[in-house]
C-alpha cells in the first residue's frame, strides 16, 4: 500500500498531465478549466491550490514543454563531438519530435498566437525562443562563423518553418529538409571566414 501510494501522481501532476494533453491538442483558450479538472480527476479547489489561476496553469504547461524540448535538443547536441555536427543536431532533435504521434506544431507558437501582448503566457513562450536563439548563437560561435548572431537568426527562422510545415502538412520529412538547408547556411557562413576546406563533413573533422 505504501509503494502504491508513493507512486500515485499528485493532484498537481495530474492537472499538468491533463493540461499538457488538452492545451496542446485543442488550444489554451479553447479548453476551459472544467475540462482539465475533469480529465485530471481532481476537485476544482486542487487547481486553485496548486496554480492559483488558469493562466498560471498554462504557464506551467509551457514551462514543462520548455524543459522537455530543451532536454531533447541537449541530448542530441551532446552526442556530437564537432561544433559543425553539434549545430546540425538541433535539427535532428526536431526529427524525433516530428515523429511523435499527434504532433501539431510548436506548442509555444500555438500558445503565443492565443496570448495577449505582454501576458505571462507570451512571456513563457518567449523564454523558450530566447533559449533556442541563444543555443544557436553559442553553437554558431563554437563552429567559428564570422557572425554567429546572423546565422543563429537564419537557423531559428528555418527551425520555425520546419515546425510549421511538419504540423500543418503532416510531413515529418520536413526535419530532413531543414537539416540540409541548415548545413548549406552553415557551409556558406564558414566559407565567408576563409576557413572552409571543402565539404561540411571535412569541416566537422577540424575540431
Amino acid at each position: 500500500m505504501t509503494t502504491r501510494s508513493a507512486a500515485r501522481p499528485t493532484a498537481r501532476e495530474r492537472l499538468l498531465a491533463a493540461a499538457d494533453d488538452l492545451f496542446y491538442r485543442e488550444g489554451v483558450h479553447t479548453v476551459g478549466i472544467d475540462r482539465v479538472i475533469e480529465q485530471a480527476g481532481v476537485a476544482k479547489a486542487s487547481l486553485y491550490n496548486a496554480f492559483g489561476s488558469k493562466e498560471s496553469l498554462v504557464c506551467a504547461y509551457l514551462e514543462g514543454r520548455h524543459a522537455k524540448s530543451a532536454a531533447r535538443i541537449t541530448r542530441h547536441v551532446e552526442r556530437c563531438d564537432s561544433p559543425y555536427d553539434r549545430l546540425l543536431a538541433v535539427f535532428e532533435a526536431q526529427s524525433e519530435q516530428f515523429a511523435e504521434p499527434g504532433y501539431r506544431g510548436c506548442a509555444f507558437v500555438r500558445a503565443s498566437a492565443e496570448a495577449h501582448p505582454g501576458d505571462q503566457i507570451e512571456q513563457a513562450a518567449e523564454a523558450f525562443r530566447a533559449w533556442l536563439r541563444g543555443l544557436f548563437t553559442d553553437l554558431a560561435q563554437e563552429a567559428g562563423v564570422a557572425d554567429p548572431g546572423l546565422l543563429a537568426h537564419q537557423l531559428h527562422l528555418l527551425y520555425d518553418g520546419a515546425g510549421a510545415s511538419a504540423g500543418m502538412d503532416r510531413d515529418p520529412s520536413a526535419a530532413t529538409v531543414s537539416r540540409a538547408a541548415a548545413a548549406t547556411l552553415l557551409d556558406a557562413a564558414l566559407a565567408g571566414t576563409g576557413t572552409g576546406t571543402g565539404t561540411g563533413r571535412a569541416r566537422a573533422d577540424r575540431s
Side-chain angles (χ1 to χ4, degrees):
M1 290 293 293
T2 302
T3 302
R4 203 174 303 163
S5 298
R8 179 177 173 80
T10 64
R12 188 180 193 280
E13 290 169 339
R14 282 146 57 195
L15 284 163
L16 272 175
D20 187 76
D21 175 48
L22 292 169
F23 288 158
Y24 184 68
R25 281 194 295 113
E26 301 181 29
V28 298
H29 283 309
T30 301
V31 176
I33 58 170
D34 287 341
R35 288 198 54 208
V36 177
I37 290 166
E38 179 182 4
Q39 182 159 316
V42 301
K44 181 174 285 190
S46 297
L47 186 144
Y48 293 105
N49 289 336
F51 299 101
S53 67
K54 179 184 175 182
E55 185 177 39
S56 293
L57 175 61
V58 175
C59 288
Y61 147 69
L62 291 174
E63 287 165 3
R65 287 270 169 171
H66 182 151
K68 286 188 287 188
S69 296
R72 182 183 62 252
I73 292 170
T74 299
R75 185 174 68 251
H76 279 265
V77 169
E78 290 181 346
R79 288 175 184 167
C80 303
D81 296 324
S82 77
Y84 188 97
D85 287 340
R86 284 164 63 84
L87 196 153
L88 296 183
V90 178
F91 294 90
E92 292 163 9
Q94 269 197 314
S95 179
E96 180 182 307
Q97 183 183 30
F98 295 170
E100 293 175 354
Y103 178 74
R104 292 174 176 267
C106 175
F108 307 99
V109 171
R110 287 164 59 85
S112 62
E114 299 181 69
H116 298 293
D119 69 10
Q120 288 182 311
I121 297 171
E122 185 178 72
Q123 291 172 31
E126 287 179 351
F128 174 74
R129 295 180 61 74
W131 176 84
L132 183 60
R133 180 72 67 88
L135 177 65
F136 274 133
T137 303
D138 290 345
L139 293 175
Q141 190 167 13
E142 289 176 17
V145 305
D147 191 342
L150 174 60
L151 181 62
H153 191 181
Q154 293 169 333
L155 295 178
H156 199 176
L157 290 172
L158 186 59
Y159 184 98
D160 286 345
S165 177
M168 296 179 69
D169 301 333
R170 305 293 189 268
D171 179 19
S173 71
T176 302
V177 177
S178 64
R179 186 191 185 282
T184 299
L185 286 169
L186 179 53
D187 287 345
L190 288 170
T193 67
T195 61
T197 58
T199 66
R201 175 58 56 186
R203 273 190 291 278
D205 293 337
R206 288 189 300 122
S207 64

PDB file of all heavy atoms in Angstrom, residues 116-133:
ATOM      1  N   HIS A 116      -2.295  37.368 -24.971  1.00  0.00           N
ATOM      2  CA  HIS A 116      -2.393  38.821 -25.037  1.00  0.00           C
ATOM      3  C   HIS A 116      -0.987  39.399 -24.942  1.00  0.00           C
ATOM      4  O   HIS A 116      -0.138  38.874 -24.215  1.00  0.00           O
ATOM      5  CB  HIS A 116      -3.255  39.358 -23.893  1.00  0.00           C
ATOM      6  CG  HIS A 116      -4.668  38.866 -23.924  1.00  0.00           C
ATOM      7  ND1 HIS A 116      -5.557  39.214 -24.920  1.00  0.00           N
ATOM      8  CD2 HIS A 116      -5.345  38.032 -23.082  1.00  0.00           C
ATOM      9  CE1 HIS A 116      -6.722  38.638 -24.690  1.00  0.00           C
ATOM     10  NE2 HIS A 116      -6.622  37.909 -23.591  1.00  0.00           N
ATOM     11  N   PRO A 117      -0.711  40.471 -25.674  1.00  0.00           N
ATOM     12  CA  PRO A 117       0.641  41.039 -25.658  1.00  0.00           C
ATOM     13  C   PRO A 117       1.147  41.309 -24.248  1.00  0.00           C
ATOM     14  O   PRO A 117       0.473  41.950 -23.451  1.00  0.00           O
ATOM     15  CB  PRO A 117       0.473  42.343 -26.455  1.00  0.00           C
ATOM     16  CG  PRO A 117      -0.687  42.088 -27.360  1.00  0.00           C
ATOM     17  CD  PRO A 117      -1.622  41.224 -26.559  1.00  0.00           C
ATOM     18  N   GLY A 118       2.323  40.754 -23.946  1.00  0.00           N
ATOM     19  CA  GLY A 118       2.958  41.009 -22.665  1.00  0.00           C
ATOM     20  C   GLY A 118       2.475  40.164 -21.503  1.00  0.00           C
ATOM     21  O   GLY A 118       3.000  40.302 -20.394  1.00  0.00           O
ATOM     22  N   ASP A 119       1.482  39.286 -21.714  1.00  0.00           N
ATOM     23  CA  ASP A 119       0.995  38.498 -20.579  1.00  0.00           C
ATOM     24  C   ASP A 119       1.962  37.361 -20.237  1.00  0.00           C
ATOM     25  O   ASP A 119       2.966  37.137 -20.918  1.00  0.00           O
ATOM     26  CB  ASP A 119      -0.428  37.997 -20.814  1.00  0.00           C
ATOM     27  CG  ASP A 119      -0.543  36.936 -21.909  1.00  0.00           C
ATOM     28  OD1 ASP A 119       0.499  36.431 -22.370  1.00  0.00           O
ATOM     29  OD2 ASP A 119      -1.685  36.614 -22.295  1.00  0.00           O
ATOM     30  N   GLN A 120       1.651  36.645 -19.170  1.00  0.00           N
ATOM     31  CA  GLN A 120       2.548  35.596 -18.690  1.00  0.00           C
ATOM     32  C   GLN A 120       2.718  34.477 -19.707  1.00  0.00           C
ATOM     33  O   GLN A 120       3.790  33.872 -19.798  1.00  0.00           O
ATOM     34  CB  GLN A 120       2.020  35.012 -17.378  1.00  0.00           C
ATOM     35  CG  GLN A 120       2.163  35.927 -16.178  1.00  0.00           C
ATOM     36  CD  GLN A 120       1.670  35.247 -14.911  1.00  0.00           C
ATOM     37  OE1 GLN A 120       0.571  34.681 -14.875  1.00  0.00           O
ATOM     38  NE2 GLN A 120       2.471  35.290 -13.878  1.00  0.00           N
ATOM     39  N   ILE A 121       1.672  34.200 -20.464  1.00  0.00           N
ATOM     40  CA  ILE A 121       1.736  33.130 -21.454  1.00  0.00           C
ATOM     41  C   ILE A 121       2.713  33.505 -22.562  1.00  0.00           C
ATOM     42  O   ILE A 121       3.562  32.704 -22.969  1.00  0.00           O
ATOM     43  CB  ILE A 121       0.339  32.834 -22.025  1.00  0.00           C
ATOM     44  CG1 ILE A 121      -0.576  32.321 -20.904  1.00  0.00           C
ATOM     45  CG2 ILE A 121       0.412  31.827 -23.166  1.00  0.00           C
ATOM     46  CD1 ILE A 121      -2.036  32.202 -21.305  1.00  0.00           C
ATOM     47  N   GLU A 122       2.620  34.733 -23.042  1.00  0.00           N
ATOM     48  CA  GLU A 122       3.555  35.193 -24.072  1.00  0.00           C
ATOM     49  C   GLU A 122       4.981  35.173 -23.539  1.00  0.00           C
ATOM     50  O   GLU A 122       5.916  34.775 -24.246  1.00  0.00           O
ATOM     51  CB  GLU A 122       3.190  36.596 -24.537  1.00  0.00           C
ATOM     52  CG  GLU A 122       4.061  37.095 -25.694  1.00  0.00           C
ATOM     53  CD  GLU A 122       3.640  38.468 -26.179  1.00  0.00           C
ATOM     54  OE1 GLU A 122       3.894  39.441 -25.451  1.00  0.00           O
ATOM     55  OE2 GLU A 122       3.067  38.560 -27.277  1.00  0.00           O
ATOM     56  N   GLN A 123       5.161  35.582 -22.298  1.00  0.00           N
ATOM     57  CA  GLN A 123       6.491  35.594 -21.704  1.00  0.00           C
ATOM     58  C   GLN A 123       7.070  34.181 -21.589  1.00  0.00           C
ATOM     59  O   GLN A 123       8.268  33.969 -21.830  1.00  0.00           O
ATOM     60  CB  GLN A 123       6.450  36.251 -20.332  1.00  0.00           C
ATOM     61  CG  GLN A 123       6.185  37.755 -20.374  1.00  0.00           C
ATOM     62  CD  GLN A 123       5.948  38.341 -18.998  1.00  0.00           C
ATOM     63  OE1 GLN A 123       6.498  37.860 -18.004  1.00  0.00           O
ATOM     64  NE2 GLN A 123       5.118  39.374 -18.914  1.00  0.00           N
ATOM     65  N   ALA A 124       6.225  33.214 -21.245  1.00  0.00           N
ATOM     66  CA  ALA A 124       6.692  31.832 -21.140  1.00  0.00           C
ATOM     67  C   ALA A 124       7.104  31.293 -22.514  1.00  0.00           C
ATOM     68  O   ALA A 124       8.098  30.566 -22.632  1.00  0.00           O
ATOM     69  CB  ALA A 124       5.600  30.950 -20.533  1.00  0.00           C
ATOM     70  N   ALA A 125       6.340  31.645 -23.553  1.00  0.00           N
ATOM     71  CA  ALA A 125       6.686  31.217 -24.906  1.00  0.00           C
ATOM     72  C   ALA A 125       7.986  31.880 -25.362  1.00  0.00           C
ATOM     73  O   ALA A 125       8.854  31.240 -25.972  1.00  0.00           O
ATOM     74  CB  ALA A 125       5.548  31.556 -25.871  1.00  0.00           C
ATOM     75  N   GLU A 126       8.128  33.155 -25.050  1.00  0.00           N
ATOM     76  CA  GLU A 126       9.331  33.876 -25.449  1.00  0.00           C
ATOM     77  C   GLU A 126      10.573  33.346 -24.728  1.00  0.00           C
ATOM     78  O   GLU A 126      11.677  33.409 -25.265  1.00  0.00           O
ATOM     79  CB  GLU A 126       9.151  35.369 -25.195  1.00  0.00           C
ATOM     80  CG  GLU A 126       8.198  36.036 -26.181  1.00  0.00           C
ATOM     81  CD  GLU A 126       7.999  37.521 -25.900  1.00  0.00           C
ATOM     82  OE1 GLU A 126       8.461  37.990 -24.836  1.00  0.00           O
ATOM     83  OE2 GLU A 126       7.385  38.192 -26.743  1.00  0.00           O
ATOM     84  N   ALA A 127      10.397  32.830 -23.523  1.00  0.00           N
ATOM     85  CA  ALA A 127      11.538  32.295 -22.776  1.00  0.00           C
ATOM     86  C   ALA A 127      12.156  31.113 -23.518  1.00  0.00           C
ATOM     87  O   ALA A 127      13.389  30.985 -23.579  1.00  0.00           O
ATOM     88  CB  ALA A 127      11.099  31.869 -21.374  1.00  0.00           C
ATOM     89  N   PHE A 128      11.316  30.247 -24.083  1.00  0.00           N
ATOM     90  CA  PHE A 128      11.867  29.124 -24.840  1.00  0.00           C
ATOM     91  C   PHE A 128      12.541  29.619 -26.108  1.00  0.00           C
ATOM     92  O   PHE A 128      13.630  29.154 -26.467  1.00  0.00           O
ATOM     93  CB  PHE A 128      10.779  28.107 -25.211  1.00  0.00           C
ATOM     94  CG  PHE A 128      11.310  27.012 -26.107  1.00  0.00           C
ATOM     95  CD1 PHE A 128      12.116  26.014 -25.592  1.00  0.00           C
ATOM     96  CD2 PHE A 128      11.036  27.010 -27.469  1.00  0.00           C
ATOM     97  CE1 PHE A 128      12.638  25.021 -26.414  1.00  0.00           C
ATOM     98  CE2 PHE A 128      11.546  26.028 -28.298  1.00  0.00           C
ATOM     99  CZ  PHE A 128      12.348  25.025 -27.769  1.00  0.00           C
ATOM    100  N   ARG A 129      11.931  30.559 -26.788  1.00  0.00           N
ATOM    101  CA  ARG A 129      12.516  31.068 -28.027  1.00  0.00           C
ATOM    102  C   ARG A 129      13.858  31.747 -27.755  1.00  0.00           C
ATOM    103  O   ARG A 129      14.796  31.625 -28.542  1.00  0.00           O
ATOM    104  CB  ARG A 129      11.534  31.996 -28.731  1.00  0.00           C
ATOM    105  CG  ARG A 129      10.268  31.264 -29.191  1.00  0.00           C
ATOM    106  CD  ARG A 129       9.293  32.191 -29.902  1.00  0.00           C
ATOM    107  NE  ARG A 129       9.878  32.776 -31.103  1.00  0.00           N
ATOM    108  CZ  ARG A 129      10.070  32.109 -32.242  1.00  0.00           C
ATOM    109  NH1 ARG A 129       9.733  30.832 -32.316  1.00  0.00           N
ATOM    110  NH2 ARG A 129      10.586  32.711 -33.282  1.00  0.00           N
ATOM    111  N   ALA A 130      13.955  32.457 -26.646  1.00  0.00           N
ATOM    112  CA  ALA A 130      15.220  33.093 -26.283  1.00  0.00           C
ATOM    113  C   ALA A 130      16.287  32.037 -25.987  1.00  0.00           C
ATOM    114  O   ALA A 130      17.459  32.185 -26.367  1.00  0.00           O
ATOM    115  CB  ALA A 130      15.028  34.003 -25.084  1.00  0.00           C
ATOM    116  N   TRP A 131      15.874  30.959 -25.313  1.00  0.00           N
ATOM    117  CA  TRP A 131      16.815  29.870 -25.028  1.00  0.00           C
ATOM    118  C   TRP A 131      17.328  29.255 -26.325  1.00  0.00           C
ATOM    119  O   TRP A 131      18.530  29.034 -26.492  1.00  0.00           O
ATOM    120  CB  TRP A 131      16.138  28.796 -24.170  1.00  0.00           C
ATOM    121  CG  TRP A 131      17.032  27.608 -23.931  1.00  0.00           C
ATOM    122  CD1 TRP A 131      17.987  27.473 -22.973  1.00  0.00           C
ATOM    123  CD2 TRP A 131      17.072  26.402 -24.718  1.00  0.00           C
ATOM    124  NE1 TRP A 131      18.626  26.263 -23.102  1.00  0.00           N
ATOM    125  CE2 TRP A 131      18.093  25.589 -24.163  1.00  0.00           C
ATOM    126  CE3 TRP A 131      16.363  25.943 -25.829  1.00  0.00           C
ATOM    127  CZ2 TRP A 131      18.412  24.331 -24.674  1.00  0.00           C
ATOM    128  CZ3 TRP A 131      16.673  24.689 -26.345  1.00  0.00           C
ATOM    129  CH2 TRP A 131      17.681  23.891 -25.768  1.00  0.00           C
ATOM    130  N   LEU A 132      16.416  28.984 -27.255  1.00  0.00           N
ATOM    131  CA  LEU A 132      16.801  28.351 -28.514  1.00  0.00           C
ATOM    132  C   LEU A 132      17.706  29.271 -29.332  1.00  0.00           C
ATOM    133  O   LEU A 132      18.719  28.824 -29.883  1.00  0.00           O
ATOM    134  CB  LEU A 132      15.556  27.975 -29.316  1.00  0.00           C
ATOM    135  CG  LEU A 132      15.804  27.247 -30.636  1.00  0.00           C
ATOM    136  CD1 LEU A 132      16.534  25.930 -30.397  1.00  0.00           C
ATOM    137  CD2 LEU A 132      14.483  27.005 -31.366  1.00  0.00           C
ATOM    138  N   ARG A 133      17.359  30.569 -29.413  1.00  0.00           N
ATOM    139  CA  ARG A 133      18.199  31.512 -30.160  1.00  0.00           C
ATOM    140  C   ARG A 133      19.591  31.587 -29.527  1.00  0.00           C
ATOM    141  O   ARG A 133      20.597  31.639 -30.228  1.00  0.00           O
ATOM    142  CB  ARG A 133      17.550  32.897 -30.181  1.00  0.00           C
ATOM    143  CG  ARG A 133      18.360  33.953 -30.933  1.00  0.00           C
ATOM    144  CD  ARG A 133      18.343  33.733 -32.442  1.00  0.00           C
ATOM    145  NE  ARG A 133      17.025  33.950 -32.985  1.00  0.00           N
ATOM    146  CZ  ARG A 133      16.549  35.129 -33.388  1.00  0.00           C
ATOM    147  NH1 ARG A 133      17.297  36.214 -33.284  1.00  0.00           N
ATOM    148  NH2 ARG A 133      15.335  35.233 -33.902  1.00  0.00           N
TER     149      ARG A 133
END
